[in-house]
């Protein structure tokens, strides 16, 4: 009797889940929602505007992921930090709940490299692109190898397609949100 009741309930729950999954799949056919990741520029110093430009370029270049500035005081998936070293970044792709960092190093800016190209390039790493050096100026991920005269901040077709691919099949929230909860939290 008890077992039978449980079996019926399980079947009912499965039917509910099936209905929900079926419904969202149908909706996805109509409108594919982009993954949105956020960034914190509170420590980006003099590079805030260049970072905003680099982010806008990515938002114009791809549709499977969007990068938005986090509201002040809220947790961000990517933090942008100005320092005196060489520009660098965490290699993504970073997903919501993830943790990436872009260092806007002054060393390259002081040497004459385009600051918007640097910002866009470093966000390319956040979106999962490796360096592609040496390479031509038309390639964003050729980075410093294209020289200080190269100011191109746009990904080429292959780079944009690569990022689209990285975010085409976003992992389920349970798989990507590896939150560490400390003893004193
Ligand atoms: Zn790089």
């Amino acid at each position: 009797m008890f077992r039978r009741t449980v079996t019926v309930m399980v079947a009912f729950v499965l039917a509910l889940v099936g209905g929900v999954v079926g419904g969202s799949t149908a909706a996805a056919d109509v409108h594919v929602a982009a993954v949105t990741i956020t960034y914190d520029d509170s420590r980006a110093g003099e590079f805030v505007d260049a970072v905003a430009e680099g982010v806008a370029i990515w938002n114009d270049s791809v549709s499977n992921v969007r990068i938005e500035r986090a509201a002040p005081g809220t947790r961000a998936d990517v933090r942008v930090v100005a320092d005196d070293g060489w520009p660098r970044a965490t290699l993504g792709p970073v997903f919501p709940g993830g943790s990436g960092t872009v260092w806007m190093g002054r060393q390259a800016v002081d040497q004459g490299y385009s600051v918007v190209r640097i910002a866009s390039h470093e966000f390319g790493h956040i979106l999962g692109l490796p360096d592609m050096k040496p390479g031509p100026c038309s390639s964003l991920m050729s980075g410093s190898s294209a020289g200080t005269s190269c100011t191109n901040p746009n990904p080429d077709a292959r780079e944009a397609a690569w990022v689209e691919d990285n975010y085409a099949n976003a992992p389920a929230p349970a798989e990507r949100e590896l939150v560490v909860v400390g003893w004193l939290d």
Side-chain angles (χ1 to χ4, degrees):
M1 176 69 164
F2 174 73
R3 174 168 302 222
R4 182 160 177 272
T5 305
V6 168
T7 305
V8 168
M9 284 179 68
V10 166
F12 178 66
V13 168
L14 284 176
L16 274 181
V17 169
V20 169
V21 169
S24 61
T25 302
D29 292 340
V30 177
H31 174 76
V32 179
V35 172
T36 299
I37 59 173
T38 57
Y39 72 97
D40 172 358
D41 63 2
S42 62
R43 291 167 63 200
E46 69 273 36
F47 301 117
V48 165
D49 290 343
V51 166
E53 279 188 64
V55 163
I57 285 165
W58 274 112
N59 286 335
D60 286 344
S61 303
V62 295
S63 55
N64 287 348
V65 59
R66 277 199 67 76
I67 310 167
E68 288 180 1
R69 192 164 171 273
T74 64
R75 188 201 171 280
D77 305 313
V78 179
R79 56 200 185 103
V80 184
V81 182
D83 74 3
D84 292 329
W86 198 252
R88 59 211 183 278
T90 312
L91 179 60
V94 172
F95 283 94
S99 185
T101 305
V102 165
W103 289 270
M104 290 296 296
R106 297 186 178 93
Q107 203 170 329
V109 180
D110 291 347
Q111 288 188 20
Y113 287 99
S114 160
V115 67
V116 177
R117 176 170 161 88
I118 291 170
S120 187
H121 173 97
E122 300 308 331
F123 267 91
H125 287 313
I126 291 294
L127 301 178
L129 295 181
D131 279 315
M132 301 179 196
K133 301 174 181 176
C137 184
S138 57
S139 158
L140 179 61
M141 301 316 291
S142 67
S144 60
S145 72
T148 54
S149 64
C150 175
T151 60
N152 169 39
N154 301 303
D156 65 20
R158 177 180 169 228
E159 291 163 339
W162 188 328
V163 169
E164 292 285 53
D165 226 45
N166 287 346
Y167 288 92
N169 297 297
E175 291 170 41
R176 71 185 180 225
E177 289 178 20
L178 299 172
V179 180
V180 177
V181 180
W183 184 253
L184 294 174
D185 285 351

